[in-house]
Amino acid sequence: MRSSHPRHHLPLIALPPQTHLPFLLSPQFILSWKTNKNAMPHLLCELSQPAESLSATEISSSIDHEQDRLRSSTLIMECRLDSFFMHRRTCFVSLKPNSIRSLALSFDQSLVLAVLRGARHPDHALQFFRWVEKTGFRHDPDTYREIILLLARASMLNHARCILLDDMPDRLVPPSEDMFAALIEGYGCARIPQEVVKIFRRLPELGVTRTVRSYDAVFKAILRSGRVAMARRLFNAMLAEGVLPVLSTYNTLLWGFCLSIKMETAQRFLADMKERGIAPDLVTYNTMLNGWVRAKKMDDAEKVFAEMTVAGFAPNSISYNIMIKGYVCSGRVDDGLRMFSEMGEKGLRFSEKTFAALMPGLCDDVGRAAEARKALNEMAKLQLTPIDKSIFLRLVTSLCESGDLEGALEVHRKTSQFNHVVVDPMQYGVLLESLCKGEKHESAIALLDELLEKGTMQSPQYPTLEPSAYNPMIEYLCDHGDTKKAEAFFRQLMKKGVDDKVAFNSLICGHAKEGMPEAASEILTIMTHHGVPTDADSYVLLVESFLKKSEPADARTALDSMMEQGHLPSASLFRSVMVALFDDGRFQTASRVMKSMIEKGVKENMDMVHKILEALFMRGHVEEALGRINLMIMNDCTLDIDRLLITLCDSDKAIEAQKLVEFALERDCDVSFSSYDRVLDVLYTAGKTLPAYSILCKIKAKGGVVDKKGCDAIIKSLIAEGNTKQADILSRILAGKASSGKSGERIAMDAF
């Protein structure tokens, strides 16, 4: 429920909406009205605002119930009741015919004018203007003039035009020149000069005599759109029509010519003005001053300023504001300061426009930053809000460039003291960058906290900070254990579309240093998703962070991601991951890391490679181990197979040793015969006679030399096991009676 207007105290407005009608129909309202007659226009405005709609049945039945008793009520109660229903049309249209009209008497002119002038919105006034006719009220020129002025000022030009050109002739109400002048001014403000000319030309046929009033209006309207030539022709037509220009006419023309920077034309009309005996006034001189300033001809502006004094006019605040602006825009800031000081000495009032003219010249000059601060303090003292809000950013920038960081912070804090001024996010950016460069990191952090708390960056209308502003801040926070805040800061930047590689990598490094590899890994995932190039050093720190937390599996995942992004890990990083996985019992995972290392051409860490191969053989992962050995051979990596065979033999891993020997024989690997003998002994001891026979045949086929004593033992075992054919072949091979080379090997295999 809306509160009551301060100028009336009737109890109706304080009541809930559903109680309005009973009170309107009660005797208390009549008694209250008699002592509050001046409240009527304001009460009508209050009732014109939306409220909870009442049931049409309730309203109609209440009116019918009270109709007989209220027929003798006063005029005001009837008007109030009708106004109440007018703005609740959804209820009004459902009422019984004539249930309200029978109660309404009439409005007088003073009340209608008061309601129109007191309306909060032009459309409300127009609705009331249309509706009040239904009560029997007939509009006169005064009420028509009031509504046309109101609609023209509100740019509701079609409504104003229809009322003036259609309604008034239909109702035989004669229009006045003021009404047309108001409509012309409205079209001028809307930049529609064609309509201005059409209406102006129709004035005679509508019975309106064109005087200086309408000519002034049309001059201002067309000159707003820069129609200088049209204004000159119209001026000549004005003279031909016998309408003599006055001071306001020339001031309007000079204003338009200066607006279009047609200074030669303005000078001619000024001379014509003087020739006609019309003395320029202060407005005239200020208009010419503004024109010369807009034309950037300060010498001519100074002549006008001097002429003004000679003519007996003391320059006012507007004159000084124009001169200050001209000097500053021309780069003559010292002259602008001189005018500013002179203005203060004469006791003229400083305004927002004064400082708007002066401050740009001070704020953009690093050498005048101190003077700009004094001017800003004067503004704060006078409680003036700058017109150009960018002066704060410009002054802060100048102070930062001059090295006065404390002064820049003071100006930043003072910004919030001005009304309707929101700190530009770019101002935060300039300060953050400068404070970080000046190693004022504590102040920078406090400023960042303020920025994050206000949520200024989240507004879509503000631009994004520059990398030079946020990267040093993020880097400092990450290097000093506050990566969480740095990430919160950067995530707000990401919402604005920022995908900065440097910032991402700083966050990864910061999380990794603080022992938060999971958070760093999440940042890496975001980088990959956004297609942001990664940094190898960031991956190294991430891998090392996982290793410090004894999470070798995650370290291996990070290592794989590093290689997927095109970075080559160092041999030491490969070793660290393999050692961690090996110590954690993840031998096959370590084997995969070893495979990646070999494929990347890294040939260091062979001692670790042997340990991983031994572990694979020991745990029965023979095929995987042989695959890794084959990969090493293909990549020309040095491999000590003898060492592996001896280790397997010492561990009584007969089958694993057998497969490794067979692999070595197939690949023609460099293996000592003593290693072969060790393998044969292990196989013989383990009762693997046939595998030993097979290996022995292959060794002899390769031209190798074996221990005869061991061979005899194998022959005896073959005979004992019933493998007489194999024993015979082996005896013949050892005796040199069997064919050598590949045919001999094939015979032995057939026998086997």
Side-chain angles (χ1 to χ4, degrees), residues 162-273:
C162 290
I163 291 173
L164 184 57
L165 299 180
D166 298 332
D167 290 4
M168 292 183 69
D170 291 345
R171 289 165 174 74
L172 303 178
V173 179
S176 66
E177 187 182 21
D178 282 343
M179 298 179 191
F180 283 101
L183 184 59
I184 287 171
E185 290 173 355
Y187 278 113
C189 292
R191 302 296 195 275
I192 311 176
Q194 298 86 349
E195 291 298 324
V196 170
V197 175
K198 287 180 182 179
I199 294 172
F200 182 74
R201 287 176 177 174
R202 289 189 61 185
L203 291 185
E205 68 182 61
L206 294 172
V208 178
T209 302
R210 294 186 295 205
T211 67
V212 171
R213 174 72 180 92
S214 56
Y215 271 103
D216 287 353
V218 75
F219 282 139
K220 190 167 187 177
I222 62 177
L223 286 170
R224 282 184 184 275
S225 301
R227 305 298 178 91
V228 175
M230 182 186 292
R232 291 201 306 266
R233 291 194 300 269
L234 189 60
F235 182 77
N236 294 331
M238 173 183 176
L239 297 177
E241 194 174 330
V243 180
L244 296 178
V246 295
L247 179 62
S248 62
T249 307
Y250 279 105
N251 282 342
T252 301
L253 288 167
L254 292 176
W255 168 83
F257 298 148
C258 292
L259 186 67
S260 300
I261 317 181
K262 301 294 184 179
M263 297 311 298
E264 293 182 1
T265 305
Q267 282 185 303
R268 288 199 302 270
F269 271 78
L270 180 62
D272 181 71
M273 174 184 180

Side-chain angles (χ1 to χ4, degrees), residues 500-681:
D500 191 277
K501 172 186 175 182
V502 176
F504 272 121
N505 288 317
S506 296
L507 291 174
I508 294 170
C509 295
H511 282 307
K513 291 178 181 177
E514 294 173 21
M516 299 290 291
E518 295 82 4
S521 181
E522 181 182 351
I523 298 296
L524 272 173
T525 303
I526 295 173
M527 289 183 71
T528 305
H529 180 71
H530 289 191
V532 181
T534 55
D535 190 350
D537 293 338
S538 301
Y539 277 103
V540 172
L541 288 173
L542 178 60
V543 171
E544 292 176 350
S545 180
F546 276 121
L547 293 176
K548 288 178 182 178
K549 289 190 69 176
S550 300
E551 296 178 359
D554 292 328
R556 180 250 174 174
T557 302
L559 189 71
D560 289 344
S561 179
M562 179 180 182
M563 289 184 286
E564 288 174 2
Q565 293 299 316
H567 304 298
L568 178 62
S570 63
S572 60
L573 190 64
F574 274 118
R575 183 181 186 85
S576 298
V577 176
M578 289 189 296
V579 169
L581 291 169
F582 188 89
D583 293 342
D584 197 45
R586 301 174 182 268
F587 305 113
Q588 287 183 286
T589 307
S591 168
R592 297 187 188 99
V593 175
M594 178 190 77
K595 176 177 178 291
S596 299
M597 180 185 72
I598 295 171
E599 290 175 344
K600 293 295 181 181
V602 179
K603 298 181 180 181
E604 292 86 346
N605 306 319
M606 288 299 109
D607 57 335
M608 194 64 215
V609 169
H610 278 281
K611 291 179 66 176
I612 294 172
L613 291 174
E614 289 174 3
L616 291 175
F617 277 117
M618 292 295 183
R619 284 155 182 79
H621 304 298
V622 179
E623 296 302 325
E624 183 177 350
L626 294 177
R628 301 292 182 260
I629 294 172
N630 184 57
L631 179 64
M632 293 178 68
I633 294 172
M634 293 174 62
N635 285 273
D636 298 327
C637 294
T638 304
L639 179 65
D640 189 354
I641 295 180
D642 290 313
R643 176 182 170 185
L644 285 173
L645 289 172
I646 291 171
T647 301
L648 293 174
C649 292
D650 291 343
S651 302
D652 295 328
K653 296 291 182 178
I655 299 301
E656 289 78 2
Q658 172 200 345
K659 291 183 177 180
L660 179 56
V661 167
E662 290 175 348
F663 176 86
L665 290 171
E666 289 176 2
R667 297 293 191 282
D668 292 329
C669 295
D670 186 13
V671 180
S672 64
F673 290 105
S674 60
S675 298
Y676 287 135
D677 288 339
R678 289 288 304 274
V679 173
L680 291 173
D681 289 341

Side-chain angles (χ1 to χ4, degrees), residues 387-405:
I387 298 175
D388 183 7
K389 308 300 189 298
S390 68
I391 63 169
F392 294 101
L393 172 61
R394 293 153 75 175
L395 179 53
V396 166
T397 303
S398 295
L399 289 169
C400 289
E401 290 176 358
S402 66
D404 187 5
L405 299 180

